[in-house]
């Protein structure tokens, strides 16, 4: 794309933000995806090649989550989690200062582990008290995590949380109370089914 558009990306403006690995055992392709932060004063020219990019839209984190809630768009749990992180920042300057300083620390690669409850699913993330000590990174163990307990009971019992509760495709809730590593910031605790009441999302990005 850079060759076609005769441009070169400003890699020094990119700051490492996160790294997510697709869980094993789901079939299909797996991705080791790095998330980068880039703060721009003006919206750049955007092109779609109908392969990697088939459409684009500029939105604030809160606007994107609202569109997710209304089923106008869909994104996977990692994107929802990271958008909730961005909701901590009320200005582009604040985000840029945090992102550029924090990027020097690096980041941890995360792979979620799915726990099937009797009435829903929970994606467990590193640091959660239910996250396995030896997660199945390759899929060779064919591990299936399930419980007869309800999601609500698991939430009440938990004291160290880093998880995403999945109610259905467009109803996710993030629960985090652990201390993040590498000087990162926890996401705003948010339930996509209650977006109108999530007043803590003060992002004006």
């Amino acid at each position: 794309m850079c060759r076609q558009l005769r441009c070169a990306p400003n890699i020094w403006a990119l700051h490492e933000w996160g790294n997510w690995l697709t869980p094993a055992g789901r079939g299909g392709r797996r991705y080791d995806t790095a998330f980068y932060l880039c703060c721009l004063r003006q919206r750049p020219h955007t092109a779609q090649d109908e392969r990697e990019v088939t459409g684009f839209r500029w939105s604030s984190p809160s606007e994107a989550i609202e569109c997710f809630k209304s089923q106008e768009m869909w994104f996977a749990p990692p994107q929802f989690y990271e958008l909730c992180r961005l909701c901590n920042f009320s200005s582009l300057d604040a985000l840029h200062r945090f992102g550029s300083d924090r990027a020097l620390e690096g980041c941890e690669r995360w792979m979620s582990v799915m726990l099937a409850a009797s009435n829903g699913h929970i994606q467990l993330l590193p640091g959660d008290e239910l996250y396995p000590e030896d997660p199945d990174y390759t899929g060779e163990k064919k591990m299936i995590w399930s419980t007869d307990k309800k999601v609500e009971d698991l939430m009440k019992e938990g004291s160290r949380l880093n998880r995403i509760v999945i109610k259905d495709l467009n109803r996710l809730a993030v629960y985090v109370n652990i201390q993040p590593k590498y000087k990162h910031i926890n996401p705003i605790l948010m339930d996509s089914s209650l977006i109108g009441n999530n007043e803590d999302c003060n992002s004006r990005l």
Side-chain angles (χ1 to χ4, degrees), residues 23-42:
R26 292 191 178 182
R29 294 181 179 180
R30 299 183 68 198
Y31 298 93
D32 187 355
T33 304
F35 287 78
Y36 290 92
L37 178 71
C38 183
C39 296
L40 303 173
R41 292 294 178 185
Q42 297 179 335

PDB file of all heavy atoms in Angstrom, residues 23-42:
ATOM      1  N   PRO A  23      -6.966 -17.081  20.927  1.00  0.00           N
ATOM      2  CA  PRO A  23      -6.942 -18.336  21.689  1.00  0.00           C
ATOM      3  C   PRO A  23      -6.891 -19.556  20.776  1.00  0.00           C
ATOM      4  O   PRO A  23      -7.395 -19.525  19.647  1.00  0.00           O
ATOM      5  CB  PRO A  23      -8.260 -18.303  22.476  1.00  0.00           C
ATOM      6  CG  PRO A  23      -8.631 -16.864  22.539  1.00  0.00           C
ATOM      7  CD  PRO A  23      -8.141 -16.262  21.255  1.00  0.00           C
ATOM      8  N   ALA A  24      -6.278 -20.615  21.256  1.00  0.00           N
ATOM      9  CA  ALA A  24      -6.201 -21.863  20.500  1.00  0.00           C
ATOM     10  C   ALA A  24      -7.524 -22.599  20.583  1.00  0.00           C
ATOM     11  O   ALA A  24      -8.333 -22.382  21.484  1.00  0.00           O
ATOM     12  CB  ALA A  24      -5.082 -22.734  21.048  1.00  0.00           C
ATOM     13  N   GLY A  25      -7.749 -23.496  19.603  1.00  0.00           N
ATOM     14  CA  GLY A  25      -8.892 -24.384  19.672  1.00  0.00           C
ATOM     15  C   GLY A  25     -10.183 -23.839  19.101  1.00  0.00           C
ATOM     16  O   GLY A  25     -11.232 -24.460  19.226  1.00  0.00           O
ATOM     17  N   ARG A  26     -10.129 -22.679  18.449  1.00  0.00           N
ATOM     18  CA  ARG A  26     -11.358 -22.110  17.890  1.00  0.00           C
ATOM     19  C   ARG A  26     -11.513 -22.408  16.408  1.00  0.00           C
ATOM     20  O   ARG A  26     -12.531 -22.090  15.812  1.00  0.00           O
ATOM     21  CB  ARG A  26     -11.374 -20.593  18.099  1.00  0.00           C
ATOM     22  CG  ARG A  26     -11.501 -20.191  19.553  1.00  0.00           C
ATOM     23  CD  ARG A  26     -11.777 -18.721  19.685  1.00  0.00           C
ATOM     24  NE  ARG A  26     -11.957 -18.333  21.071  1.00  0.00           N
ATOM     25  CZ  ARG A  26     -12.254 -17.107  21.461  1.00  0.00           C
ATOM     26  NH1 ARG A  26     -12.411 -16.162  20.555  1.00  0.00           N
ATOM     27  NH2 ARG A  26     -12.404 -16.838  22.735  1.00  0.00           N
ATOM     28  N   GLY A  27     -10.486 -22.970  15.825  1.00  0.00           N
ATOM     29  CA  GLY A  27     -10.532 -23.220  14.392  1.00  0.00           C
ATOM     30  C   GLY A  27     -10.196 -21.957  13.627  1.00  0.00           C
ATOM     31  O   GLY A  27     -10.280 -20.850  14.146  1.00  0.00           O
ATOM     32  N   GLY A  28      -9.825 -22.122  12.379  1.00  0.00           N
ATOM     33  CA  GLY A  28      -9.486 -20.966  11.566  1.00  0.00           C
ATOM     34  C   GLY A  28      -8.123 -20.397  11.924  1.00  0.00           C
ATOM     35  O   GLY A  28      -7.331 -21.000  12.652  1.00  0.00           O
ATOM     36  N   ARG A  29      -7.866 -19.205  11.417  1.00  0.00           N
ATOM     37  CA  ARG A  29      -6.565 -18.581  11.626  1.00  0.00           C
ATOM     38  C   ARG A  29      -6.428 -18.022  13.036  1.00  0.00           C
ATOM     39  O   ARG A  29      -7.397 -17.630  13.662  1.00  0.00           O
ATOM     40  CB  ARG A  29      -6.366 -17.440  10.625  1.00  0.00           C
ATOM     41  CG  ARG A  29      -6.272 -17.886   9.179  1.00  0.00           C
ATOM     42  CD  ARG A  29      -6.050 -16.683   8.278  1.00  0.00           C
ATOM     43  NE  ARG A  29      -5.920 -17.064   6.876  1.00  0.00           N
ATOM     44  CZ  ARG A  29      -5.721 -16.200   5.890  1.00  0.00           C
ATOM     45  NH1 ARG A  29      -5.658 -14.902   6.151  1.00  0.00           N
ATOM     46  NH2 ARG A  29      -5.613 -16.620   4.650  1.00  0.00           N
ATOM     47  N   ARG A  30      -5.190 -17.987  13.486  1.00  0.00           N
ATOM     48  CA  ARG A  30      -4.872 -17.337  14.747  1.00  0.00           C
ATOM     49  C   ARG A  30      -3.990 -16.133  14.452  1.00  0.00           C
ATOM     50  O   ARG A  30      -3.192 -16.144  13.515  1.00  0.00           O
ATOM     51  CB  ARG A  30      -4.150 -18.296  15.692  1.00  0.00           C
ATOM     52  CG  ARG A  30      -4.963 -19.524  16.066  1.00  0.00           C
ATOM     53  CD  ARG A  30      -4.195 -20.372  17.056  1.00  0.00           C
ATOM     54  NE  ARG A  30      -4.055 -19.690  18.346  1.00  0.00           N
ATOM     55  CZ  ARG A  30      -3.162 -20.031  19.271  1.00  0.00           C
ATOM     56  NH1 ARG A  30      -2.305 -21.025  19.037  1.00  0.00           N
ATOM     57  NH2 ARG A  30      -3.103 -19.387  20.423  1.00  0.00           N
ATOM     58  N   TYR A  31      -4.129 -15.096  15.249  1.00  0.00           N
ATOM     59  CA  TYR A  31      -3.384 -13.861  15.017  1.00  0.00           C
ATOM     60  C   TYR A  31      -2.662 -13.436  16.290  1.00  0.00           C
ATOM     61  O   TYR A  31      -3.228 -13.461  17.381  1.00  0.00           O
ATOM     62  CB  TYR A  31      -4.326 -12.731  14.573  1.00  0.00           C
ATOM     63  CG  TYR A  31      -5.025 -13.009  13.266  1.00  0.00           C
ATOM     64  CD1 TYR A  31      -6.281 -13.610  13.255  1.00  0.00           C
ATOM     65  CD2 TYR A  31      -4.434 -12.676  12.053  1.00  0.00           C
ATOM     66  CE1 TYR A  31      -6.924 -13.863  12.042  1.00  0.00           C
ATOM     67  CE2 TYR A  31      -5.074 -12.931  10.846  1.00  0.00           C
ATOM     68  CZ  TYR A  31      -6.317 -13.536  10.859  1.00  0.00           C
ATOM     69  OH  TYR A  31      -6.955 -13.795   9.672  1.00  0.00           O
ATOM     70  N   ASP A  32      -1.418 -13.053  16.120  1.00  0.00           N
ATOM     71  CA  ASP A  32      -0.632 -12.432  17.177  1.00  0.00           C
ATOM     72  C   ASP A  32      -0.607 -10.946  16.836  1.00  0.00           C
ATOM     73  O   ASP A  32       0.215 -10.484  16.050  1.00  0.00           O
ATOM     74  CB  ASP A  32       0.773 -13.031  17.201  1.00  0.00           C
ATOM     75  CG  ASP A  32       1.592 -12.555  18.389  1.00  0.00           C
ATOM     76  OD1 ASP A  32       1.109 -11.683  19.135  1.00  0.00           O
ATOM     77  OD2 ASP A  32       2.725 -13.032  18.569  1.00  0.00           O
ATOM     78  N   THR A  33      -1.547 -10.202  17.408  1.00  0.00           N
ATOM     79  CA  THR A  33      -1.832  -8.846  16.951  1.00  0.00           C
ATOM     80  C   THR A  33      -1.304  -7.799  17.913  1.00  0.00           C
ATOM     81  O   THR A  33      -1.642  -7.803  19.102  1.00  0.00           O
ATOM     82  CB  THR A  33      -3.354  -8.636  16.788  1.00  0.00           C
ATOM     83  OG1 THR A  33      -3.864  -9.633  15.898  1.00  0.00           O
ATOM     84  CG2 THR A  33      -3.656  -7.266  16.227  1.00  0.00           C
ATOM     85  N   ALA A  34      -0.483  -6.914  17.398  1.00  0.00           N
ATOM     86  CA  ALA A  34       0.004  -5.782  18.172  1.00  0.00           C
ATOM     87  C   ALA A  34      -0.885  -4.572  17.914  1.00  0.00           C
ATOM     88  O   ALA A  34      -1.271  -4.306  16.771  1.00  0.00           O
ATOM     89  CB  ALA A  34       1.448  -5.467  17.802  1.00  0.00           C
ATOM     90  N   PHE A  35      -1.211  -3.859  18.974  1.00  0.00           N
ATOM     91  CA  PHE A  35      -1.974  -2.616  18.870  1.00  0.00           C
ATOM     92  C   PHE A  35      -1.009  -1.455  19.080  1.00  0.00           C
ATOM     93  O   PHE A  35      -0.246  -1.441  20.052  1.00  0.00           O
ATOM     94  CB  PHE A  35      -3.074  -2.563  19.933  1.00  0.00           C
ATOM     95  CG  PHE A  35      -4.230  -3.483  19.680  1.00  0.00           C
ATOM     96  CD1 PHE A  35      -4.126  -4.841  19.952  1.00  0.00           C
ATOM     97  CD2 PHE A  35      -5.425  -3.001  19.155  1.00  0.00           C
ATOM     98  CE1 PHE A  35      -5.191  -5.698  19.724  1.00  0.00           C
ATOM     99  CE2 PHE A  35      -6.489  -3.859  18.925  1.00  0.00           C
ATOM    100  CZ  PHE A  35      -6.373  -5.205  19.205  1.00  0.00           C
ATOM    101  N   TYR A  36      -1.074  -0.478  18.170  1.00  0.00           N
ATOM    102  CA  TYR A  36      -0.226   0.701  18.279  1.00  0.00           C
ATOM    103  C   TYR A  36      -1.074   1.953  18.417  1.00  0.00           C
ATOM    104  O   TYR A  36      -2.198   2.023  17.899  1.00  0.00           O
ATOM    105  CB  TYR A  36       0.684   0.831  17.050  1.00  0.00           C
ATOM    106  CG  TYR A  36       1.757  -0.216  16.987  1.00  0.00           C
ATOM    107  CD1 TYR A  36       1.546  -1.412  16.304  1.00  0.00           C
ATOM    108  CD2 TYR A  36       2.988  -0.025  17.612  1.00  0.00           C
ATOM    109  CE1 TYR A  36       2.535  -2.391  16.255  1.00  0.00           C
ATOM    110  CE2 TYR A  36       3.973  -0.993  17.563  1.00  0.00           C
ATOM    111  CZ  TYR A  36       3.747  -2.169  16.882  1.00  0.00           C
ATOM    112  OH  TYR A  36       4.714  -3.136  16.836  1.00  0.00           O
ATOM    113  N   LEU A  37      -0.518   2.928  19.089  1.00  0.00           N
ATOM    114  CA  LEU A  37      -1.180   4.208  19.294  1.00  0.00           C
ATOM    115  C   LEU A  37      -0.481   5.265  18.459  1.00  0.00           C
ATOM    116  O   LEU A  37       0.749   5.342  18.437  1.00  0.00           O
ATOM    117  CB  LEU A  37      -1.110   4.594  20.781  1.00  0.00           C
ATOM    118  CG  LEU A  37      -1.704   5.920  21.191  1.00  0.00           C
ATOM    119  CD1 LEU A  37      -3.226   5.868  21.094  1.00  0.00           C
ATOM    120  CD2 LEU A  37      -1.271   6.263  22.612  1.00  0.00           C
ATOM    121  N   CYS A  38      -1.266   6.077  17.761  1.00  0.00           N
ATOM    122  CA  CYS A  38      -0.709   7.189  16.997  1.00  0.00           C
ATOM    123  C   CYS A  38      -1.666   8.370  17.137  1.00  0.00           C
ATOM    124  O   CYS A  38      -2.839   8.266  16.774  1.00  0.00           O
ATOM    125  CB  CYS A  38      -0.543   6.799  15.527  1.00  0.00           C
ATOM    126  SG  CYS A  38       0.235   8.102  14.531  1.00  0.00           S
ATOM    127  N   CYS A  39      -1.194   9.463  17.687  1.00  0.00           N
ATOM    128  CA  CYS A  39      -2.028  10.645  17.920  1.00  0.00           C
ATOM    129  C   CYS A  39      -1.779  11.661  16.809  1.00  0.00           C
ATOM    130  O   CYS A  39      -0.657  12.132  16.625  1.00  0.00           O
ATOM    131  CB  CYS A  39      -1.708  11.255  19.271  1.00  0.00           C
ATOM    132  SG  CYS A  39      -2.085  10.165  20.663  1.00  0.00           S
ATOM    133  N   LEU A  40      -2.814  11.997  16.082  1.00  0.00           N
ATOM    134  CA  LEU A  40      -2.725  12.904  14.940  1.00  0.00           C
ATOM    135  C   LEU A  40      -3.614  14.117  15.156  1.00  0.00           C
ATOM    136  O   LEU A  40      -4.736  13.997  15.653  1.00  0.00           O
ATOM    137  CB  LEU A  40      -3.155  12.188  13.658  1.00  0.00           C
ATOM    138  CG  LEU A  40      -2.386  10.905  13.307  1.00  0.00           C
ATOM    139  CD1 LEU A  40      -3.038  10.213  12.118  1.00  0.00           C
ATOM    140  CD2 LEU A  40      -0.932  11.210  13.019  1.00  0.00           C
ATOM    141  N   ARG A  41      -3.117  15.270  14.768  1.00  0.00           N
ATOM    142  CA  ARG A  41      -3.889  16.501  14.893  1.00  0.00           C
ATOM    143  C   ARG A  41      -4.950  16.613  13.805  1.00  0.00           C
ATOM    144  O   ARG A  41      -6.006  17.214  13.997  1.00  0.00           O
ATOM    145  CB  ARG A  41      -2.965  17.713  14.826  1.00  0.00           C
ATOM    146  CG  ARG A  41      -2.037  17.839  16.009  1.00  0.00           C
ATOM    147  CD  ARG A  41      -2.803  18.105  17.278  1.00  0.00           C
ATOM    148  NE  ARG A  41      -1.929  18.175  18.446  1.00  0.00           N
ATOM    149  CZ  ARG A  41      -2.375  18.300  19.679  1.00  0.00           C
ATOM    150  NH1 ARG A  41      -3.665  18.322  19.920  1.00  0.00           N
ATOM    151  NH2 ARG A  41      -1.518  18.351  20.685  1.00  0.00           N
ATOM    152  N   GLN A  42      -4.654  16.059  12.655  1.00  0.00           N
ATOM    153  CA  GLN A  42      -5.592  16.111  11.540  1.00  0.00           C
ATOM    154  C   GLN A  42      -5.857  14.707  11.032  1.00  0.00           C
ATOM    155  O   GLN A  42      -5.005  13.819  11.132  1.00  0.00           O
ATOM    156  CB  GLN A  42      -5.032  16.979  10.396  1.00  0.00           C
ATOM    157  CG  GLN A  42      -4.828  18.441  10.780  1.00  0.00           C
ATOM    158  CD  GLN A  42      -4.245  19.239   9.622  1.00  0.00           C
ATOM    159  OE1 GLN A  42      -3.592  18.690   8.737  1.00  0.00           O
ATOM    160  NE2 GLN A  42      -4.479  20.545   9.640  1.00  0.00           N
TER     161      GLN A  42
END
